[in-house]
């Protein structure tokens, strides 16, 4: 398998003679399957090869919110840090769509960073991208109204799936945005009246 050529994502700094299978184990996950659980010990660093993965965090009341998405070529920097420092995961990673993930053992990953500057640069690129996305989440939660957050979230999902029509329930949206289903339903009806979206059965189309 060749590593996906996705210019919008950092690239794994493979040596010319290396294969992905030299680094770790490749596993397939169907949409909705959990890849990394909260509070799990991180023994391998996951890197998405195909598909997309959403990274979420929950509170004490088990309310969840999406922090960011991982695309091909990306890893979860929080999982990297938890693995390198023998900590547990503070987030949950779920397959947003059918995907393939490369798992590199923590010891192997640590050696790669120490011996190859390209790997360290790769991690800094990932860290920079994730930090910007988390700042966006903080900005949205602290300073934007829920209708603005909802529209931006739908646009991001549409970009991720390369489709203006999203197959999502109001309950799913509420869970991923950390709010109530009734709030989402009310806002979507308002957005439909304004011509921003078209609502169908478990479907939302951005206009």
């Amino acid at each position: 398998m060749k590593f996906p050529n996705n210019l919008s994502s950092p690239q794994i700094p493979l040596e010319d003679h290396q294969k992905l299978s030299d680094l770790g184990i490749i596993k397939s996950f169907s949409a909705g399957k959990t890849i990394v659980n909260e509070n799990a010990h991180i023994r391998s660093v996951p890197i998405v090869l195909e598909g997309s993965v959403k990274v979420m965090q929950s509170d004490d009341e088990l309310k969840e919110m999406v922090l960011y998405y991982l695309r091909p070529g990306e890893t979860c920097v929080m999982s990297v840090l938890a693995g390198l420092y023998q900590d547990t995961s503070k987030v949950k990673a779920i397959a947003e769509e059918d995907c393939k993930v490369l798992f590199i053992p923590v010891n192997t990953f640590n050696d790669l960073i120490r011996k190859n500057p390209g790997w360290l640069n790769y991690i800094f690129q990932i860290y920079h991208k994730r930090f910007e996305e988390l700042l966006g989440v903080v900005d949205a939660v602290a300073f934007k109204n829920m209708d603005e957050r909802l529209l931006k979230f739908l646009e991001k999902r549409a970009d991720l799936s390369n489709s203006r029509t999203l197959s999502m329930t109001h309950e799913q949206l509420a869970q991923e945005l950390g709010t109530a289903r009734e709030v989402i339903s009310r806002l979507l009806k308002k957005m439909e009246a304004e011509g921003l979206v078209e609502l169908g059965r478990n479907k939302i189309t951005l206009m």
Side-chain angles (χ1 to χ4, degrees):
M1 177 189 293
K2 292 183 179 180
F3 189 74
N5 183 20
N6 186 343
L7 296 180
S8 64
S9 296
Q11 301 294 298
I12 291 183
L14 286 174
E15 301 290 345
D16 291 337
H17 63 280
Q18 278 184 315
K19 300 178 182 178
L20 292 173
S21 56
D22 294 335
L23 301 177
I25 298 173
I26 298 174
K27 295 183 179 180
S28 297
F29 295 87
S30 56
K33 290 295 184 180
T34 298
I35 298 171
V36 177
N37 257 315
E38 284 182 289
N39 301 316
H41 289 280
I42 303 298
R43 296 181 173 84
S44 297
V45 173
I47 298 179
V48 179
L49 301 180
E50 296 178 8
S52 60
V53 173
K54 62 183 175 184
V55 178
M56 310 178 72
Q57 188 175 41
S58 61
D59 62 13
D60 293 337
E61 298 178 355
L62 299 181
K63 291 181 181 178
E64 296 180 322
M65 185 171 69
V66 173
L67 300 178
Y68 47 80
Y69 290 91
L70 303 179
R71 301 190 185 198
E74 298 180 350
T75 184
C76 175
V77 70
M78 298 181 75
S79 294
V80 173
L81 294 175
L84 294 180
Y85 291 100
Q86 300 181 350
D87 199 358
T88 55
S89 176
K90 302 300 185 292
V91 296
K92 177 166 62 175
I94 299 175
E96 176 66 15
E97 55 187 351
D98 292 351
C99 61
K100 288 186 178 180
V101 180
L102 169 68
F103 290 89
I104 304 177
V106 169
N107 289 340
T108 301
F109 198 83
N110 198 15
D111 288 340
L112 289 169
I113 292 175
R114 286 191 298 104
K115 296 177 181 178
N116 187 337
W119 278 95
L120 188 59
N121 183 59
Y122 168 78
I123 291 301
F124 278 126
Q125 289 182 61
I126 293 289
Y127 187 89
H128 176 71
K129 187 170 185 178
R130 294 288 87 87
F131 186 72
E132 285 191 330
E133 289 177 331
L134 288 175
L135 283 180
V137 172
V138 172
D139 176 71
V141 172
F143 304 113
K144 296 189 186 305
N145 295 326
M146 182 54 73
D147 53 351
E148 293 179 89
R149 288 180 58 198
L150 175 58
L151 182 58
K152 188 170 183 179
F153 182 82
L154 292 174
E155 290 173 343
K156 188 170 185 178
R157 283 292 300 268
D159 179 61
L160 188 71
S161 61
N162 292 316
S163 173
R164 302 294 287 177
T165 298
L166 306 174
S167 298
M168 292 192 74
T169 67
H170 296 190
E171 184 66 37
Q172 287 174 310
L173 275 172
Q175 182 185 48
E176 297 198 9
L177 287 169
T179 188
R181 180 186 60 78
E182 293 78 12
V183 172
I184 295 298
S185 296
R186 174 173 54 81
L187 290 176
L188 285 174
K189 288 179 181 177
K190 177 185 174 185
M191 291 167 64
E192 185 176 43
E194 294 173 349
L196 297 174
V197 301
E198 181 180 309
L199 303 179
R201 183 174 179 80
N202 297 335
K203 288 187 177 181
I204 303 166
T205 302
L206 284 163
M207 307 305 289

